[in-house]
Amino acid sequence: MADIATRVHNHKWKIDPIVRSLIDTDFYKLLMCQSVFRNKPDTNVTFSLINRTKTIRLAELVDEGELREQLDHIRTLRLSRGESTFLRGNTFYGKRQMFRPDFMEWFEGMQLPPYHLEKRDGQYELTFEGKWPEVMLWEIPALAVLMELRSRAVLERLGRFEIQVLYARAMTKLWEKIERLRQIDGLKIADFGTRRRHSFLWQDWCVQAMQEGLGPKFIGTSNCLIALRHEVEAIGTNAHELPMVYSALARDDAELAQAPYQVLADWHEEHDGNLRIILPDTFGTEGFLSRAPDWLTTWTGIRIDSGDPATGAETAIRWWQSRGEDPRQKLVIFSDGLDVGKIEELHRQFTGRVKVSFGWGTMLTNDFRGLVPDDGLAPFSLVCKAVSANGRPTVKLSDNPNKAMGPADQIARYKRVFGVGDQAAVEVVV
């Protein structure tokens, strides 16, 4: 196991680039990429970095030269033979050869496209433009670089022994959480913390701690590279990106209304009936479920990723019941803003009513709250989203209006088309 404190103290070693592999990314990015490669390969998209926590002035914390060096390094990465063999030959979700030969041939020769970087009002404007299958693969590495460079900037102020004590405290903090989770009968939990992790080395340590501390209750990680290294399951399905881009391509309101369901029809065909998890909140869960075609009721489950999680789960249960399905046979994956207390609460509330699983993100891989002066390592809300497709703006409404994004006139249009009424605002922490 790596001596994290020593490696951090010497963090400029070339042994520790922030992103060290093209598969140091969330598994669902690769699954979505294959679907996009097949269905929408020529769509031009723009992705943009968005810092929701304006008080964190990244351009004043993070050196531009270091940022460019890390981004340039990522553009040199190619799949290694071992990584290609892992993706080509492994069994994911019980299916062998999840990734098709044509996609793998493309991926093995792929280079991430150029980036555009500027400073504005204390923040970095970082954008990526090009063909959707290539540009989408920038999202997770871009977030990982900015999150870790911020961590490194804060840690530069500390001495070697301070860093050792810091990590000892962080390890103790996480282990105490694991000891609480260990007491939950029937728990199923995965690491979803790649996109806002403190660092690669820390996420790697967290996964090993979960493996040892939770045993079979720990069901895998979203990070493909860490899954490969530690022989755990790679976990992931799909994300908001797909309906956001499909909807932006819609030619009229009728096509817009059907776009989220077209995404899932393409997904169903792509995966031969596997990975059938619905993410319903892109344009509001209530409206999505009320208009959903009957074939979606047979899918395995739903992921709850915004708004009040208990409300989202109750909505899903009512929907299944209204369509003649038994909720006890369905899976609800909670994945938004989780920490131990909320996991305990939701598990108590819904066990026996549905199958319950958790994707634990930022508070697993980046909970350094209270461990340095001025709380300088507290997690913050940084995203990298598709903001346009073929020149048309994208929109995300979410079940939390504080997470909505897009031009005001388009947000109003989408609310009308998808029948989104009043929503309860929830503070966005991460």
Side-chain angles (χ1 to χ4, degrees), residues 364-381:
L364 167 63
T365 61
N366 201 359
D367 188 5
F368 284 70
R369 294 172 297 173
L371 297 184
V372 298
D374 301 321
D375 217 11
L377 287 176
F380 64 105
S381 186

Side-chain angles (χ1 to χ4, degrees), residues 25 57 62 71 171 245 284-285 313 330 417:
T25 193
R57 297 175 68 81
V62 172
L71 296 172
M171 289 173 178
V245 173
T285 294
K330 300 297 186 179
V417 169

Side-chain angles (χ1 to χ4, degrees), residues 373-400:
D374 301 321
D375 217 11
L377 287 176
F380 64 105
S381 186
L382 186 70
V383 296
C384 184
K385 296 289 188 183
V387 296
S388 72
N390 286 352
R392 299 176 181 177
T394 62
V395 170
K396 180 185 175 187
L397 299 180
S398 174
D399 285 330
N400 178 5

